[in-house]
Amino acid sequence: MKEKYSKVITKIQEADSIVIGASNGLSISEGIHIFADDSSFQENFGDFRKKHGFRSIIQGCFYPFPSQEEKWAFFSRMYEYFLINKEASPIMKNLYELVKDKNYFVVTSNIDAHFTLAGFPKERLFEIEGNCRNLQCSHGCHNQIYPGDEILSKMARNQENGKVLPSLIPKCPECGGSMQVHIEIDGNFLRDKSWQTMYQAYQEFIEKAHGKKIVLLELGVGARNQMIKAPFMNLTNLEECATYITFNKGGELYIPDVIAAKSIGIDGNIAEVLQQLVKLK
Ligand SMILES: [Zn+2]
């Protein structure tokens, strides 16, 4: 095992470019499980669970709330749960420590904005499905997203009986209609200028890495993930000097034979793996 860790460190140190890909498994290792009806969900969202019957954060995101007051009570609570008075977790701090001096780029489907919280700069971060702190028009009437930190914090702190004050509810500045959090929950999800810019930045980062030593560092991405894992495996296959490094918990590690010689898989708790790596660095 120690040998594997040293190999990972060497690959990271020698890399010209590092692409970090992260999905739900990384959040779970931080203790945030958006698909689970766990004690954390019950503690933080128990009132919604009781009133509306949904059993996880993700179910809440897709839930057809009967009113805007109730919808914003939930989404501002989610914002609070992910971000208000939160410090970056040791996991995210260790990940940042591991790559901060390198040429890296992050691509993630996580909506908790925890990369930003840990200090990863926005110019190196592509959040494919948006994040919990931005807002857009619910109808997608115009192609722009808005920072929502201020209003979400206010709504999180001013809710009663599962509702926020009607005066706090954001309205679309163009059509006057309802707004929603900029996460991909329906077909109206906006791929606005900022989203396109980061998508381009991700593509350019990969193009520039062509022919060089590239490390694809994948954290907590499920075996069937097409958004992050499939491109990572393709790139590993195509690029002569690529190394595919994947961390995942028991049984979820998956490396196809065709790239096995260029891959390092570590099966285990991501928190512990990152801790070990930072110690070795
Ligand atoms: Zn609108």
Side-chain angles (χ1 to χ4, degrees):
M1 202 59 170
K2 185 121 194 236
E3 204 177 304
K4 239 184 199 180
Y5 285 133
S6 310
K7 210 172 147 193
V8 169
I9 288 294
T10 306
K11 287 292 181 187
I12 287 175
Q13 280 166 350
E14 288 175 351
D16 298 308
S17 311
I18 299 171
V19 192
I20 297 170
S23 179
N24 194 41
L26 180 65
S27 302
I28 293 174
S29 68
E30 288 189 275
I32 290 178
H33 197 330
I34 63 169
F35 293 91
D37 186 15
D38 56 10
S39 59
S40 179
F41 177 71
Q42 291 172 17
E43 194 178 306
N44 292 282
F45 297 89
D47 47 344
F48 295 96
R49 189 180 184 273
K50 197 170 166 202
K51 185 174 181 185
H52 301 289
F54 54 77
R55 293 282 180 270
S56 66
I57 293 175
I58 199 74
Q59 281 181 14
C61 288
F62 286 96
Y63 186 75
F65 287 94
S67 70
Q68 290 290 312
E69 286 91 335
E70 286 158 301
K71 176 181 101 174
W72 286 109
F74 172 77
F75 282 102
S76 62
R77 177 80 58 80
M78 181 175 87
Y79 173 85
E80 179 178 32
Y81 178 63
F82 289 152
L83 292 174
I84 294 181
N85 298 327
K86 294 279 154 70
E87 204 195 320
S89 67
I91 293 173
M92 297 305 291
K93 284 182 183 168
N94 281 335
L95 181 59
Y96 184 64
E97 188 61 33
L98 201 60
V99 298
K100 67 177 184 189
D101 302 322
K102 301 293 300 183
N103 176 38
Y104 66 84
F105 195 92
V106 179
V107 54
T108 184
S109 55
N110 291 347
I111 57 162
D112 51 30
H114 280 188
F115 278 94
T116 312
L117 195 63
F120 286 86
K122 280 186 177 142
E123 319 81 73
R124 294 171 185 245
L125 175 61
F126 176 37
E127 292 171 311
I128 309 174
E129 300 187 312
N131 73 49
C132 65
R133 65 197 304 177
N134 291 328
L135 309 180
Q136 66 158 87
C137 171
S138 295
H139 315 285
C141 83
H142 68 298
N143 200 9
Q144 195 177 332
I145 64 166
Y146 297 88
D149 295 280
E150 203 177 314
I151 189 66
L152 286 162
S153 302
K154 227 181 236 176
M155 290 191 291
R157 289 181 179 124
N158 293 283
Q159 48 181 266
E160 230 172 80
N161 302 321
K163 292 179 176 180
V164 300
L165 291 174
S167 61
L168 294 177
I169 292 170
K171 292 266 165 31
C172 171
E174 291 294 322
C175 72
S178 62
M179 297 192 87
Q180 65 189 39
V181 171
H182 184 243
I183 55 177
E184 191 163 8
I185 46 172
D186 60 29
N188 288 332
F189 177 73
L190 290 176
R191 292 169 178 85
D192 75 320
K193 208 171 155 194
S194 59
W195 189 97
Q196 296 292 344
T197 301
M198 294 327 294
Y199 173 72
Q200 285 300 330
Y202 175 41
Q203 301 305 320
E204 279 164 24
F205 187 87
I206 287 170
E207 280 161 28
K208 274 192 196 150
H210 175 62
K212 299 185 181 148
K213 285 180 186 157
I214 178 170
V215 162
L216 290 309
L217 178 59
E218 188 197 86
L219 302 117
V221 179
R224 282 183 300 277
N225 182 295
Q226 290 300 306
M227 222 162 19
I228 296 169
K229 188 183 261 306
F232 271 33
M233 294 193 304
N234 277 335
L235 205 58
T236 308
N237 196 22
L238 292 171
E239 287 290 332
E240 201 183 327
C241 305
T243 306
Y244 175 63
I245 301 174
T246 175
F247 304 154
N248 221 329
K249 67 174 164 57
E252 297 206 13
L253 211 57
Y254 167 62
I255 299 170
D257 290 344
V258 65
I259 57 165
K262 291 168 161 179
S263 302
I264 308 168
I266 298 186
D267 193 342
N269 180 319
I270 295 175
E272 283 164 25
V273 173
L274 286 171
Q275 184 67 45
Q276 290 301 322
L277 288 172
V278 167
K279 266 192 212 161
L280 278 174
K281 191 188 157 192

